[in-house]
Amino acid sequence: MVFSEKGIARFKRGNSFITFASMEKQLIYFDNAASSPLDERVLRVMHTCQRELFGNPSSVHEAGRRARVAVEDARRTIAKRLHVTPAEVFFTSGGTEANNAILWGAAEDLGYSSFITSPAEHPAVLKPLEAIGSRHGVRVHFAAIDNKGHVDLDHLEKLLKENPASVVSLMHANNETGTLLPVKAVSGLCAKYDSLFHSDTVQTIGKFEMNLGSPHIDFAVASAHKFHGPKGAGFMIVRSGNFFKPFLTGGGQERNMRAGTENLCGIVGMAEALELAHERLEEDQRHIMDLKKTCIENLSERVPGVSFNGDAEGSSLHTILNLSLPAGIDPDMLLPRLDMEGICVSSGSACASGTTKGSHVLEALGVDLQKPSLRISFSRYNTHEEVQRLVDVLVKVSG
Ligand code: PLP
């Protein structure tokens, strides 16, 4: 890789160069819930994999067998960290595909005709459910949430009582506000009413110690690029007894649950990223919680009228902070102004929409959408200096 004076990254191919975006500007990156930087250790493992493991894992010769061993090692690493069996781990291209495969599999193959979700779920759950719900005889029910985004458990139980043998799809941590689901209580209700529990765990896998056997979760999903792994690699956990016909067909890979040649180096990198995340879990949690606390304290002190959305100081994922600034600042101008200062944040779910459109999650919480809102999402690489710079810039733009 060559860096020009202006910091343009260029890769030589034959006599010409492929030019990538300018890397000149020092960025402060607070959009880790959208995607997080690849860890160096993961990059090294992937580099070796790209160079040395060129066989197709389905080929029976030595090169294929080496690739197969790498895939199965990765599967075992992931299974061990989540306390499931390797046979319950299925590789996908990421969280969107995993959610789609599970929901469609539950409807089409397992024969479930009642689904219970919430209005604050990710579009990778809401959109497939919308399509599934338009099928003859299928119903999708919405559990109420309060103004912090917590699911009303009494309402959930009422829905389950009226519709036993449902699939309950509720995310572990909301990707826009960080509000956490009481997984144990929801798992208990699902068991009581003979229902399956699917949880979109994209934002929490690699952030917490997780045992998917206790409390029991039937289906969980992950996306490597949310925990410093590569983009385009993810997995679904499907507990045995709930296997379904493949969402993608055309090959017998993943024990006939997901056709297509495995993304070998993505899978190897993802397992390394998960392993690394777990090795430094407590250290990272402490550091990120401290950043979030400092950010809340400083903004509360220095930006009159700032408010925090979700349950920022309560049951909330440490990596996510959602806030609204006082009315009067043009919501459409806030992100560009921060961007000009070299600060990357998002307004709601940039990873879902690619736009800065109003958030269906904040709307469901009853947040005043006239006020500009921001999602700040932290990672192990952020520093207190960066938080101070963010606060200074927010003071400037709201002044
Ligand atoms: N679910 C949640 C909660 C997310 O935050 C995301 C992020 O974009 C997804 C699903 C989609 O994951 P992926 O980017 O791997 O398709």
Side-chain angles (χ1 to χ4, degrees), residues 284-357:
D284 286 350
Q285 275 175 359
R286 249 195 326 273
H287 172 63
I288 296 169
M289 276 174 189
D290 205 30
L291 293 177
K292 182 170 171 177
K293 187 165 165 275
T294 305
C295 197
I296 293 175
E297 283 171 4
N298 279 257
L299 286 171
S300 305
E301 211 177 284
R302 297 183 56 200
V303 181
V306 68
S307 53
F308 299 100
N309 302 316
D311 195 7
E313 289 173 277
S315 181
S316 175
L317 180 63
H318 47 287
T319 52
I320 295 179
L321 177 63
N322 194 304
L323 58 92
S324 293
L325 291 170
I329 307 160
D330 182 351
D332 291 336
M333 287 314 294
L334 185 58
L335 283 196
R337 285 189 68 184
L338 291 175
D339 195 26
M340 275 163 55
E341 302 275 355
I343 297 177
C344 306
V345 292
S346 84
S347 70
S349 175
C351 54
S353 62
T355 70
T356 55
K357 262 193 353 237

Side-chain angles (χ1 to χ4, degrees), residues 110-307:
L110 302 181
Y112 282 81
S113 59
S114 168
F115 291 78
I116 301 174
T117 188
S118 93
E121 298 302 302
H122 192 276
V125 164
L126 291 178
K127 288 289 172 188
L129 282 181
E130 194 181 303
I132 291 166
S134 66
R135 299 267 161 136
H136 181 70
V138 177
R139 283 151 307 140
V140 179
H141 311 273
F142 287 86
I145 55 172
D146 68 14
N147 63 2
K148 290 182 172 173
H150 292 299
V151 174
D152 179 339
L153 293 178
D154 292 334
H155 187 230
L156 176 63
E157 177 152 19
K158 182 173 176 287
L159 290 174
L160 279 165
K161 206 180 265 177
E162 290 164 4
N163 307 279
S166 289
V167 175
V168 172
S169 179
L170 293 170
M171 69 209 303
H172 188 190
N174 187 277
N175 57 299
E176 295 194 33
T177 61
T179 298
L180 284 166
L181 185 76
V183 172
K184 195 170 171 194
V186 173
S187 173
L189 286 175
C190 289
K192 185 170 169 191
Y193 295 98
D194 200 20
S195 294
L196 294 181
F197 181 19
H198 163 234
S199 191
D200 181 338
T201 44
V202 160
Q203 293 294 343
T204 50
I205 282 187
K207 311 285 168 44
F208 293 121
E209 207 57 76
M210 263 199 232
N211 181 343
L212 298 181
S214 170
H216 182 84
I217 299 179
D218 294 288
F219 305 110
V221 304
S223 179
H225 70 111
K226 311 291 186 180
F227 50 88
H228 306 292
K231 291 170 186 61
F235 59 84
M236 54 183 173
I237 303 293
V238 180
R239 308 312 301 274
S240 61
N242 296 322
F243 296 165
F244 44 77
K245 287 205 184 108
F247 180 62
L248 294 180
T249 53
Q253 290 91 348
E254 294 300 289
R255 283 147 290 125
N256 207 30
M257 283 275 282
R258 198 271 189 184
T261 301
E262 296 86 343
N263 171 9
L264 178 61
C265 296
I267 289 168
V268 167
M270 171 164 65
E272 186 71 10
L274 188 67
E275 193 58 23
L276 179 61
H278 278 262
E279 284 169 17
R280 25 182 319 153
L281 210 55
E282 282 178 25
E283 181 192 337
D284 286 350
Q285 275 175 359
R286 249 195 326 273
H287 172 63
I288 296 169
M289 276 174 189
D290 205 30
L291 293 177
K292 182 170 171 177
K293 187 165 165 275
T294 305
C295 197
I296 293 175
E297 283 171 4
N298 279 257
L299 286 171
S300 305
E301 211 177 284
R302 297 183 56 200
V303 181
V306 68
S307 53

